[in-house]
Every structure is written in C-alpha cells, then in structure tokens.
C-alpha cells in the first residue's frame, strides 16, 4: 500500500490527512488547498480514486493500531453505558434517605430514576450498527406514466413577428 501512497501528489496526500480529521470530503479539500468553489466536487472526485481510497484505508488501519480503538471496543462501551443507563437508581435526599412519591393507587413508594436519554441513544447506535433502522426511502413507483408532448412551431408561438 505504501506504493499507492507514493503515487499521490502532495495535495492529494494533504487531502487524505485532512479527510481523517472529520471524514468530511468538502472540508478536507478546502483544508488541503483546493478551491472553496469546487471543494465539494473535488472531494467527491478524490474519494472515488482507488489510490486515495487505499491511502485512507492505510491511515485508518494505522490509527486503529496506534489507538487500539476497534469496533469491538466501541460496541462494548456502548453496551456498558446502555446497561448503566437502564439501571433504576433510587432517588435520595441530601441526607441520603429515600424520597417517596405517590403512585397511581395513592400509595407512598420509593422514587426511582434512570437515564432514558442515554439508554435510548445507546440502543439507537447499536441498532444502527446492526442495520435495524433503514432510513432510506424507496422511491420506486410501479405503474405506467404517459407523457403527451405538443410541438409548437414558429407561427403558433409568435416568434416569427406576426
């Protein structure tokens, strides 16, 4: 792979390094010195090049090796956070005594809380990893479509000056 990286221009190597910052091709192109006006198209074009893809893969592999942060590590942490967020925690006052609330039956019961936002967000990330939440919209339409075209000649549309 090092041979592929050597084939890149200095600006392309800069693009690869900048792309690794935030995985945003447009911003990486701008930071690498490409024109702001054409940064979007340049970024997309660069990402399609096999040499650029190889260089990005190589750099990502180096980062993973260096940081030891893998998909397994991230997923294990998300699961751990979800489990903590799902735990019901007793609500206590300043002195550490349980706080009581009235339930639907009118009884005084200890109050509990849990981090529903953290639990939902963690489960959302895990679900996305598993491909559970397909956010693509199917735009395929079945049936037929008829288009009638009417031709206008020069006389009928008034372009001949009459």
């Amino acid at each position: 792979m090092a041979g592929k990286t050597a084939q890149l221009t200095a600006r392309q190597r800069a693009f690869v390094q900048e792309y690794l910052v935030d995985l945003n091709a447009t911003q990486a192109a701008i930071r690498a010195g490409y024109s702001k006006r054409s940064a979007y198209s340049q970024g997309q074009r660069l990402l399609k090049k096999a040499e650029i893809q190889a260089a990005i893969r190589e750099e990502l592999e180096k980062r993973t090796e260096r940081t030891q942060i893998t998909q397994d590590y991230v997923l294990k942490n998300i699961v751990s956070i979800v489990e903590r967020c799902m735990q019901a925690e007793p609500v206590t006052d300043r002195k550490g005594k349980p706080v009581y609330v009235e339930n639907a039956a009118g009884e005084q019961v200890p109050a509990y809380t849990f981090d529903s936002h953290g639990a939902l967000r963690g489960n959302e990330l895990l679900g996305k990893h598993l491909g559970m939440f397909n956010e693509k919209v199917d735009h395929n339409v079945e049936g037929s479509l008829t288009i009638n075209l009417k031709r206008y000649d020069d006389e009928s549309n008034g372009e001949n000056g009459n």
Side-chain angles (χ1 to χ4, degrees):
M1 265 187 226
K4 290 263 187 202
T5 304
Q7 296 173 1
L8 300 180
T9 67
R11 191 180 286 182
Q12 288 173 331
R13 282 192 298 275
F15 172 81
V16 169
Q17 292 304 312
E18 293 298 335
Y19 182 74
L20 295 173
V21 171
D22 55 10
L23 304 180
N24 182 317
T26 302
Q27 292 304 311
I30 292 169
R31 292 189 301 261
Y34 291 91
S35 162
K36 285 185 181 183
R37 288 179 69 192
S38 65
Y40 175 81
S41 58
Q42 287 287 0
Q44 297 309 308
R45 182 184 60 76
L46 288 166
L47 285 178
K48 290 178 183 176
K49 289 180 161 257
E51 311 84 53
I52 300 284
Q53 291 174 6
I56 290 171
R57 253 190 324 276
E58 181 180 339
E59 291 300 321
L60 287 173
E61 287 170 9
K62 286 180 188 176
R63 179 193 296 175
T64 298
E65 187 66 32
R66 204 173 47 249
T67 63
Q68 293 299 305
I69 297 175
T70 63
Q71 286 187 6
D72 285 345
Y73 173 83
V74 172
L75 290 171
K76 285 177 185 176
N77 280 327
I78 293 172
V79 168
S80 174
I81 291 166
V82 167
E83 293 300 322
R84 285 184 78 187
C85 291
M86 296 289 289
Q87 291 176 350
E89 300 274 340
V91 177
T92 57
D93 63 16
R94 290 182 182 167
K95 294 179 182 177
K97 294 183 180 179
V99 173
Y100 287 85
V101 294
E102 189 175 309
N103 68 11
E107 303 166 334
Q108 291 291 316
V109 295
Y112 286 87
T113 185
F114 77 103
D115 182 0
S116 62
H117 178 72
L120 284 172
R121 180 67 176 134
N123 278 300
E124 176 186 4
L125 291 170
L126 292 171
K128 283 182 178 180
H129 174 74
L130 296 172
M132 293 174 61
F133 309 118
N134 187 356
E135 296 176 10
K136 294 180 182 175
V137 177
D138 184 7
H139 294 288
N140 294 324
V141 178
E142 292 195 23
S144 63
L145 173 66
T146 304
I147 300 175
N148 293 318
L149 300 175
K150 185 176 179 182
R151 182 173 178 189
Y152 292 96
D153 61 3
D154 288 343
E155 286 184 25
S156 65
N157 68 11
E159 289 187 19
N160 68 352
N162 290 339

